[in-house]
Amino acid sequence: QQQVKQSPQSLIVQKGGISIINCAYENTAFDYFPWYQQFPGKGPALLIAIRPDVSEKKEGRFTISFNKSAKQFSLHIMDSQPGDSATYFCAAPAFQGAQKLVFGQGTRLTINP
Amino acid sequence: NAGVTQTPKFQVLKTGQSMTLQCAQDMNHNSMYWYRQDPGMGLRLIYYSASEGTTDKGEVPNGYNVSRLNKREFSLRLESAAPSQTSVYFCASSFSGWGTEAFFGQGTRLTVV
C-alpha cells in the first residue's frame, strides 16, 4: 500500500509570508493528489487537488506544485493569513485506481499576525 | 444539507466496554469510510465500504467491526475497548470512482480509560 510522507510536522509563518508544505509518495503510477484542510474541532475538507498531467495548479492563494520525477508534491500558500492557521494533510490513492485515500501525517500551520 | 453526521461527538469508555459509533450521510454517496486521527499519525483508514452491502479492511482494522446498514448509514463498533483506541474518529463519504472528493463528519472524540 502506498505511503505518503509529509513535512514539516509544524510550521510557523508570519502574516503575508509564504507557507510551504511538502509530501513525498512512493509509486509513480498514482495519479490523484489532494490536499485537505482541517480546522480545530472540525473534520478535514478538500482544499485543492492535482493530477500529474500538469505540474502546477493554482486556486486563489493556494498552489500545488507537482514533481513527478522526484515523486513529490507541495502546497504553497501565498500571502498567508491568520485564517489559514489549520492542519493540512496531503493524500494519495492507496493503490493505483483506488478510491480510498492514504493520508500524510499532517502539518500544523500557524500564521502569526 | 447536513452532509455527514456522526454521533456521539464525545464518549468516555472503560476498558472492555463496547460501543457503536454512528454515521449517516444525506448526499446519496455510494462510498463511506471510517478513519482515526492520532497526533503525528495523520488519518488512518480503519474500514471502508465502496457500496451498499460491501465492506473492506483499511490500514488499522484490528479491534473494530463495521456495518453498512443501508446506503446512508455506516456504523463502527468497538467490541472490547482498549486504551489504544483512544482517538478521534471520522466518518467520510464520497461518490464512487477514482479522484472524487471525500466529505468528512465532525468527528467523535473517544477516550478509553
Side-chain angles (χ1 to χ4, degrees):
Chain A
Q1 179 167 276
Q2 167 92 286
Q3 286 195 349
V4 178
K5 296 183 179 180
Q6 184 174 345
S7 62
Q9 280 197 327
S10 63
L11 181 63
I12 299 173
V13 175
Q14 292 299 118
K15 179 183 176 182
I18 302 173
S19 303
I20 301 174
I21 304 170
N22 301 300
C23 274
Y25 64 99
E26 296 177 335
N27 193 321
T28 56
F30 300 160
D31 52 4
Y32 172 66
F33 299 96
W35 284 91
Y36 280 77
Q37 180 187 53
Q38 182 184 30
F39 293 106
K42 304 292 186 182
L46 181 66
L47 179 65
I48 186 172
I50 195 169
R51 290 169 169 73
D53 53 345
V54 297
S55 60
E56 185 176 283
K57 181 175 181 180
K58 185 175 181 179
E59 290 185 0
R61 295 183 294 108
F62 299 90
T63 300
I64 298 180
S65 298
F66 186 79
N67 187 331
K68 190 171 184 177
S69 61
K71 294 186 286 185
Q72 292 180 343
F73 59 110
S74 302
L75 175 68
H76 291 65
I77 306 174
M78 311 300 288
D79 187 25
S80 299
Q81 299 296 312
D84 298 330
S85 296
T87 299
Y88 293 81
F89 294 96
C90 60
F95 49 84
Q96 188 175 11
Q99 187 176 317
K100 60 180 182 177
L101 297 173
V102 175
F103 285 83
Q105 296 86 343
T107 297
R108 178 172 290 185
L109 174 64
T110 302
I111 307 300
N112 285 334
Chain B
N1 275 344
V4 178
T5 302
Q6 293 181 233
T7 56
K9 287 186 168 51
F10 301 93
Q11 184 70 50
V12 178
L13 288 179
K14 293 182 179 179
T15 298
Q17 286 185 319
S18 62
M19 80 161 294
T20 300
L21 280 63
Q22 307 286 354
C23 175
Q25 53 90 10
D26 63 1
M27 295 174 283
N28 201 34
H29 287 165
N30 291 315
S31 302
M32 297 186 74
Y33 314 82
W34 277 105
Y35 286 90
R36 61 178 289 175
Q37 182 176 14
D38 302 289
M41 302 292 287
L43 292 155
R44 293 182 292 170
L45 183 65
I46 305 170
Y47 271 93
Y48 75 105
S49 171
S51 61
E52 185 178 355
T54 67
T55 60
D56 283 291
K57 295 178 180 179
E59 303 169 69
V60 288
N62 292 344
Y64 306 95
N65 285 301
V66 291
S67 295
R68 183 74 182 267
L69 304 171
N70 48 55
K71 190 172 185 179
R72 291 186 63 248
E73 299 173 286
F74 188 38
S75 63
L76 178 71
R77 183 162 178 82
L78 287 70
E79 290 292 349
S80 179
S84 61
Q85 293 178 306
T86 294
S87 187
V88 180
Y89 292 85
F90 287 99
C91 177
S93 69
S94 69
F95 285 110
S96 293
W98 166 90
T100 57
E101 178 179 356
F103 292 81
F104 285 79
Q106 295 219 355
T108 296
R109 184 173 294 273
L110 175 67
T111 302
V112 183
V113 298

